Amino acid sequence: MAKTALITGITGQDGSYLAEFLLAKGYRVAGMVRRDHSESLGRIAHLEGQIEICVADLLDQGSLLRLIEKNSPDEIYNLAAQSFVPTSWDHPVSTGEFAALGVTKLLESIRLVNPAIRYYQASSSEMFGKAEESPQNERTRFCPRNPYGVAKVYGHLITVNYRENHGIPACSGILFNHESPRRATAFVTRKISRQVALVKSGHATELRLGNLIAARDWGFAGDYVEAMWLMLQQPEAQDYVVGTGRAHTVKEFAQLAFQHVGLDWQDYVSVDPSLVRGTEKHQLVADAGKARRVLGWIPRVDFETLVAMMVDADLAEIDARGPDLSAC
């Protein structure tokens, strides 16, 4: 009999890739959306008829209980959150409500309905913040530097508590930055790939960026959802750091993106001081040795391929729809 997976945040980048991955594994997939959700269903439009969309809210305990009772999932993947760090400064309360309190309500619902459900919590490298060591692994102390990171620490630790105190097989994946053509345009990687495509197609002449030397451990989201699934297949629930182990700067990303379309980045990139974060992250690089040893997981898509993939996707989008990609 096929397993059933429930995905919160199914309309996001990770949710769409995870839904595809689980369908390929033969799962029945249900995805949770909010009744008043404003996000586009575009990332999962191609899965219409293959997945079931269910209405619930992480802040509504009753709706979560009904959702779990109705679907009887074997696995729950909690990917729902406000994930753009600058927005967390503008909306710290709602960021905390969903990334902290919402996690608690979901775990409590699992405890009440069926504590045998295997649970995945989307933790984040933002929890390390001002890291005391580099690279970071599962034992590195958390020192978050923004409301999103703080809320994610709560979500991570409450997951540990429900695992240890209630026996729920709950895992947290501490994922470092992971990108794709489905990334929202607010994120710097998609901003770069989109603008490079616009420049190449003659619809733009400039790319404005902030801190060019800011470095990130960037991987491909499609690889990272496999790590999520692998965590829930293990006999013992544990937490894992997931990343490539290599940091690249914003400048490198822009250079490669322009190079991919035969242009010199220096002719188009300008630095805008207003785009520099006030609390820029310190060097965050993943030590994913445990994921390699225990899960057998390794990233398949390298940095150069990821950049080219994103630029090509935006070029194809512009060719198909024109320069207005505001809905992406």
Side-chain angles (χ1 to χ4, degrees):
M1 185 176 179
K3 288 184 179 180
T4 295
L6 173 63
I7 304 172
T8 74
I10 195 170
T11 60
Q13 169 189 253
D14 291 6
S16 65
Y17 280 111
L18 180 60
E20 289 176 346
F21 180 87
L22 295 175
L23 286 171
K25 291 286 184 183
Y27 278 69
R28 170 182 167 261
V29 176
M32 188 193 91
V33 299
R34 293 170 59 194
R35 187 180 305 279
D36 61 346
H37 73 283
S38 58
E39 67 269 30
S40 169
L41 300 179
R43 294 186 184 92
I44 56 172
H46 63 295
L47 301 178
E48 184 179 1
Q50 301 179 62
I51 60 178
E52 181 180 351
I53 298 299
C54 305
V55 174
D57 192 318
L58 280 180
L59 301 185
D60 181 350
Q61 184 88 55
S63 73
L64 294 175
L65 289 166
R66 291 189 295 272
L67 178 70
I68 295 172
E69 289 171 346
K70 174 186 175 184
N71 287 280
S72 300
D74 300 282
E75 300 170 1
I76 293 179
Y77 297 83
N78 183 31
L79 311 183
Q82 187 294 110
S83 60
F84 189 49
V85 170
T87 299
S88 76
W89 285 109
D90 296 329
H91 304 283
V93 175
S94 62
T95 296
E97 285 177 336
F98 285 102
L101 183 58
V103 176
T104 309
K105 291 190 175 186
L106 186 52
L107 285 164
E108 181 65 5
S109 298
I110 292 172
R111 184 186 72 83
L112 292 172
V113 177
N114 179 8
I117 294 172
R118 305 190 72 81
Y119 175 81
Y120 172 83
Q121 169 62 22
S123 291
S124 169
S125 61
E126 288 286 345
M127 300 189 305
F128 294 125
K130 189 178 180 181
E132 297 176 342
E133 61 182 5
S134 187
Q136 295 84 40
N137 58 37
E138 295 80 6
R139 297 177 299 279
T140 301
R141 191 174 75 89
F142 298 139
C143 189
R145 305 297 290 168
N146 53 66
Y148 173 76
V150 171
K152 280 294 186 179
V153 170
Y154 179 101
H156 180 87
L157 294 180
I158 199 66
T159 300
V160 172
N161 274 262
Y162 268 77
R163 179 173 68 218
E164 294 180 348
N165 290 284
H166 298 303
I168 294 173
C171 303
S172 287
I174 307 173
L175 271 55
F176 280 63
N177 294 63
H178 45 289
E179 318 299 315
S180 77
R182 301 178 191 175
R183 193 55 137 160
T185 54
F187 290 83
V188 68
T189 52
R190 183 74 194 289
K191 175 182 178 180
I192 293 172
S193 67
R194 176 181 183 240
Q195 200 68 10
V196 167
L198 288 170
V199 169
K200 179 62 177 177
S201 58
H203 298 292
T205 59
E206 182 185 29
L207 168 60
R208 295 165 58 213
L209 295 171
N211 185 0
L212 294 180
I213 63 172
R216 303 288 185 270
D217 183 337
W218 277 307
F220 173 50
D223 288 341
Y224 287 35
V225 299
E226 180 183 18
M228 300 176 189
W229 175 77
L230 285 168
M231 291 179 206
L232 297 196
Q233 311 315 305
Q234 305 308 306
E236 180 184 357
Q238 300 183 55
D239 304 323
Y240 298 86
V241 163
V242 177
T244 71
R246 295 178 61 198
H248 297 276
T249 64
V250 172
K251 176 182 173 181
E252 287 179 83
F253 199 106
Q255 283 179 310
L256 282 173
F258 277 106
Q259 179 181 313
H260 182 64
V261 296
L263 298 175
D264 186 342
W265 73 281
Q266 296 183 87
D267 295 334
Y268 303 96
V269 173
S270 63
V271 174
D272 183 346
S274 70
L275 299 177
V276 178
R277 288 189 196 174
T279 53
E280 186 57 68
K281 285 192 295 186
H282 292 63
Q283 184 77 345
L284 297 184
V285 182
D287 173 4
K290 180 180 177 182
R292 287 194 301 272
R293 292 190 307 271
V294 180
L295 306 179
W297 178 85
I298 56 171
R300 296 184 176 87
V301 176
D302 61 25
F303 179 67
E304 293 77 10
T305 303
L306 173 63
V307 174
M309 175 197 303
M310 294 179 66
V311 172
D312 286 344
D314 276 324
L315 283 169
E317 190 74 17
I318 291 171
D319 185 58
R321 294 175 45 195
D324 182 11
L325 303 184
S326 59
C328 296

